[in-house]
Amino acid sequence: MITTQDLFNIVGNKISNEMGKSIIRNSFPPQIAEQMCNAIDCNEEAELLQKLSEWQESQKRQQQAIQSFLQQYYNR
């Protein structure tokens, strides 16, 4: 489940990543900086997809639990 804290963490990581990329762009030649920034972006995207996958799995378990409860409740 994605909590409010998770959303704050996502925003905080985004800000941190953007600051890091800014430092990289100012410290390295453009071609190297671009590759490093692309790696940061890919990592950020992978983390978000993982969080989404976890949320979807949580939703699926909740739905199954509700369906199981309703079946037991109405099949008495």
Side-chain angles (χ1 to χ4, degrees):
M1 173 184 226
I2 295 180
T3 65
T4 303
Q5 184 62 47
D6 291 329
L7 294 175
F8 282 126
N9 291 341
I10 290 168
V11 171
N13 287 339
K14 180 68 173 175
I15 291 169
S16 176
N17 287 343
E18 292 302 319
M19 289 173 49
K21 291 190 309 187
S22 179
I23 292 169
I24 288 169
R25 288 186 186 105
N26 291 325
S27 303
F28 293 93
Q31 295 150 335
I32 294 172
E34 184 175 344
Q35 290 177 354
M36 293 174 75
C37 291
N38 286 343
I40 290 170
D41 288 340
C42 288
N43 186 54
E44 182 180 336
E45 185 176 327
E47 288 174 359
L48 290 172
L49 289 174
Q50 177 66 31
K51 191 58 89 170
L52 176 62
S53 176
E54 291 169 2
W55 178 78
Q56 287 175 324
E57 187 62 34
S58 171
Q59 293 297 308
K60 184 178 177 181
R61 284 192 305 271
Q62 285 180 347
Q63 182 180 17
Q64 290 171 342
I66 291 169
Q67 287 175 343
S68 175
F69 170 79
L70 290 174
Q71 285 176 344
Q72 291 175 7
Y73 182 78
Y74 286 110
N75 286 334
R76 290 181 181 196

